[in-house]
Amino acid sequence: MARAVQLSALGLGTTSPNPVVGCVVLDAAGAVAGEGWHRRAGGPHAEVEALAAAGGRARGGTAVVTLEPCRHTGRTGPCTQALLRAGVARVVHAVADPDPVAGGGAAVLAAAGVDVEGGLLAEEAAEVNAAWLHAVRTGRPLVTWKVAATLDGRSAAADGTSRWITSQEARADVHALRSRADAVVVGVGTVLADDPALTARTDPPPARQPLRVVLDARGRTPAGARVRDGAAPTLVLTAADVGAGPGGRGVDLAAALGVLHARGVRSVLLEGGPTLAGAFVDADLVDRVVAYLAPALLGQGPAALATTATGSTIAAARRLRVREVVAVGPDVRITAAPLRA
Ligand code: AOF
Ligand code: ZN
C-alpha cells in the first residue's frame, strides 16, 4: 500500500476533477505483478492500469488500491467488474470512496466472493488525495497557503524589499508545489507590487500549467501584467463576478472558491500577500499551510500574515497540527493543517 500511495502521488496536478489513485496488483504468490496510477480525468482508472500490467498473473492475486474500487460506469467502466473479470481473489483498499455513485464497490466485490479489506494506510492515502476528498465534502477546493518568512516571521524587510528571503532550493520547491496545484491564487496587490508570472517552472516542465487566478475586486489588473502573458491560463475574478467580501472589501472568498470548484479546480495554492492570506485565515478557508522558514532575522518589516479577526488574544490563536518538517537547502519547510472541530 505504501507503494500504491507513492504511485497515486504521480497523478497530482493532472487528474482533477478526479482523485489521485495508485494500485499494485500482486500475483497469487504475493509477488508484484503490475502497478498503475490514474494519470488524467477520463483516462483509465488505476486498477485498470495495474491489471493491464499484471496480465494473467492477476488471477488468484490481490489488488492493493488507495481508493475503494468504483462500481459505476462513468467515463470508464466499473473497476469492480474489471477486478472480477481478472479473477482477483483479494482487494485491499485504503480509503472508502465517498462518491454516492462510484462508492460501494467494496460491498459489490464482497458479494461476489472477493476477500475485501479497507482502511490500510488510510491516513497516508487520504493526505495525498486530500484535495479531492476535501472538495467532495465541502464543494470547495483545498486551499494551501504558501508563505516564506524569516525565523522571526517577517515576509519582507521594513523598506519593502522581499527578494529573496528563502533559498534557491526553497524557490524551486515552490515551483514543484505549483505544478501539483490546479490553481495559483494571488490578490491584485501582489500583481501590482511584484508582477509575478505565477507559472510552474520545473525541470522537466510540468505536464500542464496551473490556472492563474487574480482576486481583483475592482478590476485593476493591468493589461500588460505578466499573468496576462498567455504562458498559462488566467482568470481575473472581480467583485462583479463573485460578489464583494465582508464590509465591501475585496471579493467574496468562499464564492470565488465555489467558482473555481465549478471549473474543476480541486487544489489551490494561495500565494498572495499578508492581507489576502489574512482574509482567507479569518474566513477559515486555509486548509494547509506550507511555510518556508529561512534562518535569517529581520526584526523589522511586515509580518507574514495580517488578520483582522484572528489572534487578538492568545486564546484566539489558530492552532494547527504539524504534518511534516523537511529541510530544503538551508531553509526549513513546515506543512501544517488547522485543528478543526
Ligand atoms: C478515477 N481514477 O483510478 C479511480 C476512480 O470520471 P470517471 O467516470 O472516470 O469516474 C471517476 C470516479 O471514479 C471518481 O470520482 C472516483 O469516485 C472513482 N474512482 N476515479 O478517476 C481512478 N479509481
Ligand atoms: Zn474505477
Side-chain angles (χ1 to χ4, degrees):
M1 185 62 85
R3 175 63 183 154
V5 171
Q6 267 181 2
L7 291 166
S8 74
L10 298 174
L12 286 169
T14 59
T15 68
S16 290
N18 282 24
V20 292
V21 185
C23 181
V24 177
V25 170
L26 309 175
D27 66 16
V32 173
E35 296 185 337
W37 75 93
H38 186 58
R39 292 161 192 262
R40 58 182 172 79
H45 289 186
E47 300 92 318
V48 170
E49 291 261 334
L51 287 172
R57 291 177 64 198
R59 192 153 297 276
T62 301
V64 182
V65 56
T66 57
L67 186 67
E68 177 187 14
C70 69
R71 61 171 174 87
H72 76 305
T73 300
R75 285 180 273 197
T76 66
C79 290
T80 46
Q81 293 312 310
L83 291 160
L84 292 174
R85 261 199 314 277
V88 165
R90 186 162 184 253
V91 170
V92 181
H93 64 275
V95 177
D97 189 333
D99 185 285
V101 178
V108 170
L109 289 166
V114 177
D115 175 15
V116 180
E117 180 191 334
L120 185 64
L121 294 188
E123 210 179 312
E124 289 82 350
E127 186 56 28
V128 178
N129 220 355
W132 183 77
L133 290 167
H134 172 89
V136 168
R137 222 172 35 241
T138 65
R140 284 193 302 263
L142 184 98
V143 175
T144 298
W145 174 44
K146 177 233 110 184
V147 55
T150 60
L151 275 190
D152 59 322
R154 315 250 172 196
S155 57
D159 68 357
T161 49
S162 60
R163 278 176 196 204
W164 301 99
I165 288 176
T166 52
S167 62
Q168 166 60 38
E169 292 91 330
R171 287 178 340 250
D173 203 67
V174 170
H175 284 280
L177 277 188
R178 284 180 182 170
S179 74
R180 292 192 295 265
D182 296 331
V184 176
V185 172
V186 296
V188 67
T190 294
V191 170
L192 295 173
D194 299 341
D195 194 22
L198 297 183
T199 49
R201 299 185 292 282
T202 53
D203 183 20
R208 63 101 197 79
Q209 288 290 337
L211 175 69
R212 300 181 287 192
V213 179
V214 183
L215 302 182
D216 180 6
R218 286 173 286 138
R220 292 184 296 148
T221 301
R226 273 205 197 108
V227 290
R228 297 217 202 248
D229 64 7
T234 299
L235 183 65
V236 176
L237 290 178
T238 66
D241 297 325
V242 297
R249 293 191 64 244
V251 301
D252 182 328
L253 299 179
L257 291 176
V259 166
L260 294 179
H261 183 272
R263 292 178 60 116
V265 170
R266 297 295 176 265
S267 59
V268 158
L269 185 65
L270 175 62
E271 293 204 49
T275 310
L276 185 64
F280 270 88
V281 168
D282 282 337
D284 198 19
L285 290 172
V286 170
D287 307 299
R288 293 284 183 282
V289 177
V290 177
Y292 295 89
L293 297 182
L297 301 171
L298 267 167
Q300 298 176 50
L305 185 67
T307 64
T308 55
T310 301
S312 52
T313 173
I314 197 66
R318 297 242 178 205
R319 300 285 175 176
L320 302 98
R321 183 162 79 88
V322 171
R323 295 290 184 95
E324 190 189 48
V325 181
V326 186
V328 180
D331 304 322
V332 176
R333 183 187 71 204
I334 299 177
T335 303
L339 290 173
R340 290 189 177 122

